[in-house]
Amino acid sequence: GSLFCLNSSRSSRHIVYPKHQAGHIGKQAGHLGSQAFYPGGQHSYLVPPAGAAGIPVQNQPGRPAGVPWMPAPPPPLNCPPGLEYLSQIDMILIHQQIELLEVLFSFESSNVYDIKNSFGQRIYFAAEDTNFCTRNCCGRSRPFTLRITDNVGREVITLERPLRCNCCCCPCCLQEIEIQAPPGVPVGYVTQTWHPCLTKFTIKNQNREDVLKISGPCIVCSCFAGVDFEITSLDEQTVVGRISKHWSGLLREAFTDADNFGIQFPRDLDVKLKAVMIGACFLIDYMFFERTR
């Protein structure tokens, strides 16, 4: 609605329209430009100042300060606990944090990620749960459990990746990741599809039924440019979203494996499928952009 304010000098009412609400995203899934996530170049997405209209500031005790958390919207029907944050957005930004010990000593440390909306508000916090030997012996092929928590530290999504061969020449042992929301309850899977040239994945629901496809380039390389993986219908005729790996700058790309991703999907898509797309993004990160020690 609109807000009415009384002008005492003229005794008249003026209508003041509120600015954009926090749940509004500018670009829709049908407009998938290469700069949809970072308008004007890398890392240039706009973060409104603290207290800006429509963007409440929320920092929870015991969680990292400095970045406001997205307020929890009312949960829709049949929504797993914690996924209500995904019900009002059509874009997600994923930033991997830089680990100084990893840069200095070349030991692979557990990956940590911030998951934000298009306004820069943190939605989730993700942390890899693996041991030292697994990370440094198996490299980018390593199995892992990735735990995604909300602003009060509640684990809302769990990603489970088994140990699989990371060679496209072995079609019998391709990559896979299971998405659970809440933990212990599978809501979907992402499986690698064998192809002699292209990078392909299939998004499946909790019953392992094919729902969507993901198609990437023949050569996955992020040298001085981003890499796009299109999310399409099963017949690959309709683009419904995109997972993009963004170029993070020469120094960051050369000396770290801290990557930046963007995910775009229809706002009215089932929140469970949105969670599965987050899992697909992490699988792509580990397969193609994780630095091998």
Side-chain angles (χ1 to χ4, degrees):
S2 59
L3 303 177
F4 294 91
C5 60
L6 181 63
N7 189 321
S8 58
S9 63
R10 297 184 180 181
S11 299
S12 61
R13 288 181 176 178
H14 300 277
I15 300 177
V16 180
Y17 293 95
K19 297 183 179 180
H20 295 296
Q21 301 300 315
H24 175 73
I25 307 297
K27 288 184 178 286
Q28 300 299 320
H31 304 281
L32 300 174
S34 60
Q35 298 299 324
F37 307 109
Y38 299 95
Q42 62 183 19
H43 306 305
S44 61
Y45 60 91
L46 299 181
V47 181
I55 311 295
V57 176
Q58 182 177 0
N59 283 316
Q60 295 293 336
R63 305 297 292 166
V67 178
W69 286 84
M70 175 182 174
L77 293 175
N78 302 319
C79 177
L83 298 192
E84 61 270 12
Y85 293 92
L86 303 177
S87 63
Q88 297 185 359
I89 61 177
D90 60 3
M91 186 184 300
I92 287 177
L93 304 175
I94 299 179
H95 305 301
Q96 183 177 351
Q97 297 183 6
I98 297 177
E99 300 292 338
L100 293 180
L101 290 178
E102 185 174 311
V103 175
L104 296 176
F105 301 105
S106 296
F107 288 127
E108 187 66 37
S109 58
S110 296
N111 290 350
V112 178
Y113 303 85
D114 285 324
I115 303 176
K116 303 178 182 179
N117 62 15
S118 62
F119 292 110
Q121 294 174 310
R122 185 183 284 115
I123 308 174
Y124 300 121
F125 183 80
E128 177 187 351
D129 185 4
T130 55
N131 58 55
F132 178 86
C133 292
T134 299
R135 292 192 302 270
N136 290 276
C137 294
C138 299
R140 64 177 64 182
S141 299
R142 64 183 182 265
F144 64 78
T145 298
L146 197 70
R147 307 188 188 279
I148 301 178
T149 57
D150 63 5
N151 59 352
V152 294
R154 175 184 56 171
E155 186 175 345
V156 296
I157 304 174
T158 302
L159 308 180
E160 295 280 356
R161 181 198 186 189
L163 179 63
R164 296 288 178 84
C165 176
N166 201 21
C167 177
C168 62
C169 298
C170 299
C172 60
C173 193
L174 297 176
Q175 296 294 314
E176 179 179 283
I177 193 168
E178 177 183 299
I179 296 87
Q180 304 170 4
V185 181
V187 295
Y189 304 84
V190 180
T191 59
Q192 184 183 8
T193 304
W194 186 86
H195 193 280
C197 300
L198 300 178
T199 303
K200 289 185 174 291
F201 300 89
T202 301
I203 293 178
K204 302 175 181 287
N205 61 17
Q206 63 269 27
N207 299 320
R208 288 190 175 271
E209 299 169 339
D210 295 356
V211 179
L212 297 169
K213 297 280 189 179
I214 300 177
S215 300
C218 179
I219 299 176
V220 180
C221 178
S222 61
C223 240
F224 302 102
V227 182
D228 292 331
F229 299 81
E230 289 189 341
I231 304 171
T232 65
S233 56
L234 289 177
D235 59 7
E236 301 186 10
Q237 298 300 310
T238 304
V239 178
V240 299
R242 176 171 293 161
I243 298 173
S244 297
K245 196 275 182 187
H246 299 282
W247 171 252
S248 302
L250 183 60
L251 292 178
R252 187 181 178 110
E253 294 282 347
F255 296 104
T256 75
D257 57 0
D259 301 312
N260 293 318
F261 286 87
I263 310 174
Q264 192 170 6
F265 38 64
R267 183 175 302 192
D268 58 354
L269 187 69
D270 186 354
V271 292
K272 296 179 181 178
L273 284 180
K274 292 181 181 181
V276 175
M277 291 182 184
I278 294 176
C281 181
F282 283 114
L283 180 61
I284 289 172
D285 180 29
Y286 276 84
M287 285 182 61
F288 302 110
F289 305 107
E290 185 72 7
R291 189 182 286 255
T292 302
R293 302 295 178 185

